[in-house]
């Protein structure tokens, strides 16, 4: 079976990707490699950050790998938090800190439209390829559900009546930004 490194320390992302990929490709996480160093993430766009993380791991291990970057873009906030979604409330913030800041900034605002975007950068034999996914929805006024991670408890995708944090992993992956981008990645890899 083909092996590809997923350049992330986020165990939730690894679980989501593995659910989508199934047993088609072996995904090796950074934890399984024993890689503990923080990967640089200084880009101004999701694409730049995904590329930077993938390049770092590819150059370190000389093995095919991919990395993603995901952002929540909220219309009323001019697209923020965007590329800074993971550290919106500060460098050492928690998921709850980020949600608190987001809900505080949207307090009283009736425009709750938002979208999640994921960009995956695959480096295969030294060549880069990008895959993108998007999921539109709205930001709630309070948290709903305990599943998922990040902003999932306050994001309801268009056409659904529950937040990502209330959905099963399987249902979320069918429509989520990361699920869409991952299926594009899988389709590309399985064509070879």
């Amino acid at each position: 079976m083909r092996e590809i490194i997923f350049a992330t320390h986020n165990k939730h992302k690894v679980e989501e990707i593995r659910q989508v990929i199934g047993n088609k490709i072996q995904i090796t996480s950074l934890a399984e490699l024993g890689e503990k160093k923080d990967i640089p993430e200084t880009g101004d766009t999701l694409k730049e950050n995904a590329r930077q993380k993938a390049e770092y791991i590819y150059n370190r291990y000389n093995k095919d790998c991919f990395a993603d970057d995901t952002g929540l873009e909220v219309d009323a906030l001019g697209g923020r938090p965007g590329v800074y979604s993971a550290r919106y409330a500060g460098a050492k913030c928690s998921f709850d800190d980020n949600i608190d800041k987001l809900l505080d900034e949207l307090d009283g605002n009736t425009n709750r439209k938002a979208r999640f975007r994921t960009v995956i950068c695959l480096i295969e034999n030294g060549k880069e390829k990008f895959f993108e996914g998007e999921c539109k929805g709205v930001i709630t006024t309070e948290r709903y559900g305990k599943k998922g991670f990040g902003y999932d408890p306050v994001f309801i995708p268009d056409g659904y009546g529950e937040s990502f944090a209330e959905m099963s992993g399987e249902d979320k992956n069918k429509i989520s930004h990361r699920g869409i981008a991952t299926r594009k990645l899988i389709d590309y890899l399985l064509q070879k």
Side-chain angles (χ1 to χ4, degrees):
M1 182 185 300
R2 181 162 183 197
E3 176 193 10
I4 298 182
I5 299 169
F6 184 11
T8 185
H9 289 294
N10 186 323
K11 66 181 183 179
H12 301 290
K13 287 184 178 183
V14 173
E15 288 168 12
E16 276 191 5
I17 293 276
R18 283 181 172 156
Q19 282 178 355
V20 176
I21 289 179
N23 61 3
K24 297 174 183 143
I25 297 166
Q26 179 185 334
I27 301 300
T28 301
S29 70
L30 293 183
E32 290 162 337
L33 287 175
E35 178 64 57
K36 295 182 184 341
K37 289 186 178 180
D38 282 338
I39 301 175
E41 194 172 353
T42 58
D44 292 326
T45 66
L46 299 176
K47 186 175 183 178
E48 287 173 11
N49 279 342
R51 175 190 288 128
Q52 188 176 35
K53 291 185 279 189
E55 283 178 347
Y56 178 85
I57 293 301
Y58 184 82
N59 291 335
R60 192 163 164 81
Y61 292 93
N62 198 29
K63 291 185 178 179
D64 292 349
C65 68
F66 69 95
D68 85 312
D69 201 26
T70 295
L72 174 67
E73 299 170 348
V74 180
D75 285 6
L77 301 178
R80 286 184 296 114
V83 72
Y84 304 105
S85 293
R87 52 196 182 279
Y88 194 43
K92 299 290 183 188
C93 65
S94 68
F95 292 145
D96 282 331
D97 294 336
N98 286 331
I99 290 174
D100 288 342
K101 180 174 180 175
L102 177 68
L103 293 179
D104 185 53
E105 289 190 341
L106 285 175
D107 188 34
N109 197 314
T110 56
N111 179 4
R112 313 292 286 195
K113 291 181 184 178
R115 68 179 180 160
F116 270 118
R117 279 197 323 119
T118 292
V119 177
I120 293 175
C121 176
L122 168 69
I123 301 183
E124 184 179 41
N125 300 318
K127 295 184 177 145
E128 297 175 354
K129 188 152 182 71
F130 293 91
F131 308 89
E132 296 189 27
E134 175 183 282
C135 183
K136 293 182 180 181
V138 295
I139 303 298
T140 61
T141 56
E142 58 187 274
R143 292 168 174 81
Y144 295 98
K146 301 284 184 197
K147 300 174 192 165
F149 66 100
Y151 297 93
D152 286 358
V154 295
F155 184 83
I156 296 179
D158 286 350
Y160 291 81
E162 57 187 4
S163 75
F164 270 167
E166 294 174 293
M167 295 180 171
S168 69
E170 185 179 326
D171 287 343
K172 177 187 171 187
N173 287 332
K174 286 178 186 173
I175 62 166
S176 78
H177 46 292
R178 189 171 295 107
I180 292 166
T182 301
R183 281 189 294 280
K184 290 177 182 177
L185 169 68
I186 295 167
D187 289 346
Y188 170 78
L189 292 171
L190 294 180
Q191 287 172 6
K192 305 186 141 242

